[in-house]
Amino acid sequence: MGMNISDFFDMDVLIQILTDWSTATGIGIIAVDEKGEYMMDPIGWKDFCMKYTRGTKEGLRRCVKCDQEGQGVYFCHAGLIYFGIELKIGDEVVGSVIGGQVLSETPDDEKFRAVAREIGVNEDRYIAALHKVTIRSEEAIRASAELLGQVLNNYINAQYMEKHNKQIIGKLGTGAKDAEELVNRIKEKTVQLNTVHGKQKILALNASIEAARAGENGRGFAVVAGEVGKLSDFINDINKDINKLVGEIDTVVHKMNE
């Protein structure tokens, strides 16, 4: 299908949901589209990760490696927990939410000082930033991620169905309008047909009168009969037009039911 989540989902609503969730849990979060491109600014991301770890060449290299290889709920190279949530419409992935930048337990400062030395960042600043990172149990983080995934996917699918239904209704409305116009054209043709039919009756009557008067020499009858023939041809043309219009209606109805 190649759907883009922003085509049917109100991004302001998505951002508000993620902002509220991040505020409540202390967990950083961001949404990306089906191509992996950011759809919003990060929410609740920590200086420890963004300013210090990713702010160094080696730290960024390690983080990118984790971003590429991490699946589900996982620990990054620096010991923080991250997670990824797939956003789906049916079986099709239309985006994802990446969250984390939290600790599952009180950190060992010496361990993180060693990381600071490895990536080339000031140890004291690194530890000061580390102490501002949210601490949540791994169980709580997994539960929060699972709950967020359920909420988002339910909401996204509801939004998709709402837009899809509106498109169907709009399509039906357009189809109904087209059908109405075609029916009106058929009515116009029917009026013409009725007029021709009336003329046929008059001519038939005149032909009968002329035939009675002329007897065997009813030349007038022949003239009238010729006119009746022309009108019959006209009726045939109108009938063809009507058949064509009916075919167009069938096409419209078929499109409405697709």
Side-chain angles (χ1 to χ4, degrees):
M1 288 185 288
M3 292 183 291
N4 189 317
I5 187 173
S6 60
D7 291 339
F8 58 85
F9 192 82
D10 187 333
M11 289 304 298
D12 289 338
V13 174
L14 177 60
I15 291 172
Q16 188 60 56
I17 291 174
L18 295 180
T19 299
D20 292 343
W21 183 86
S22 179
T23 300
T25 62
I27 300 174
I29 200 81
I30 194 168
V32 299
D33 61 19
E34 76 283 1
K35 297 178 181 178
E37 298 177 355
Y38 294 149
M39 296 190 292
M40 53 183 285
D41 293 329
I43 300 171
W45 283 18
K46 309 299 189 296
D47 283 347
F48 174 82
C49 293
M50 305 309 299
K51 182 177 180 179
Y52 295 106
T53 305
R54 293 177 183 262
T56 67
K57 183 177 180 180
E58 176 60 19
L60 180 60
R61 184 192 69 79
R62 295 183 181 186
C63 288
V64 169
K65 186 173 185 294
C66 289
D67 291 343
Q68 294 173 341
E69 298 177 355
Q71 296 181 354
V73 179
Y74 61 94
F75 285 88
C76 76
H77 69 94
L80 275 65
I81 291 184
Y82 281 77
F83 60 83
I85 299 172
E86 288 186 334
L87 304 177
K88 295 182 176 182
I89 297 297
D91 294 329
E92 181 176 0
V93 177
V94 296
S96 62
V97 167
I98 299 172
Q101 299 190 353
V102 291
L103 293 162
S104 60
E105 58 185 10
T106 302
D108 179 344
D109 285 3
E110 289 306 313
K111 175 183 175 181
F112 283 92
R113 285 185 180 276
V115 173
R117 290 192 292 271
E118 291 173 3
I119 64 176
V121 68
N122 181 279
E123 293 182 31
D124 292 335
R125 292 178 181 175
Y126 201 55
I127 297 303
L130 174 67
H131 290 168
K132 295 180 181 180
V133 174
T134 301
I135 300 175
R136 293 282 186 274
S137 70
E138 185 176 346
E139 181 181 7
I141 294 169
R142 290 182 181 275
S144 296
E146 182 177 355
L147 178 60
L148 178 62
Q150 291 175 352
V151 169
L152 289 178
N153 276 295
N154 287 339
Y155 196 85
I156 287 171
N157 276 270
Q159 287 282 305
Y160 171 76
M161 290 306 300
E162 180 181 2
K163 181 166 185 177
H164 183 65
N165 289 339
K166 285 182 179 179
Q167 289 175 338
I168 292 176
I169 292 172
K171 192 174 182 181
L172 287 172
T174 301
K177 183 178 180 180
D178 291 342
E180 183 180 358
E181 290 177 357
L182 292 174
V183 168
N184 287 335
R185 289 167 61 188
I186 289 176
K187 288 180 179 179
E188 291 175 2
K189 293 293 185 180
T190 301
V191 171
Q192 294 179 35
L193 183 60
N194 290 335
T195 301
V196 171
H197 178 64
K199 289 183 178 180
Q200 274 189 309
K201 291 177 66 175
I202 294 173
L203 287 174
L205 177 59
N206 290 339
S208 298
I209 295 172
E210 192 68 21
R213 288 178 178 175
E216 295 295 330
N217 298 318
R219 294 180 179 179
F221 175 81
V223 174
V224 173
E227 292 298 322
V228 171
K230 291 179 182 179
L231 289 171
S232 295
D233 291 338
F234 185 42
I235 290 173
N236 186 53
D237 290 337
I238 291 176
N239 284 334
K240 287 181 180 179
D241 288 340
I242 289 175
N243 288 333
K244 182 180 178 180
L245 291 171
V246 171
E248 291 176 7
I249 290 176
D250 287 339
T251 299
V252 171
V253 172
H254 178 72
K255 289 181 178 180
M256 290 166 60
N257 292 327
E258 287 181 348

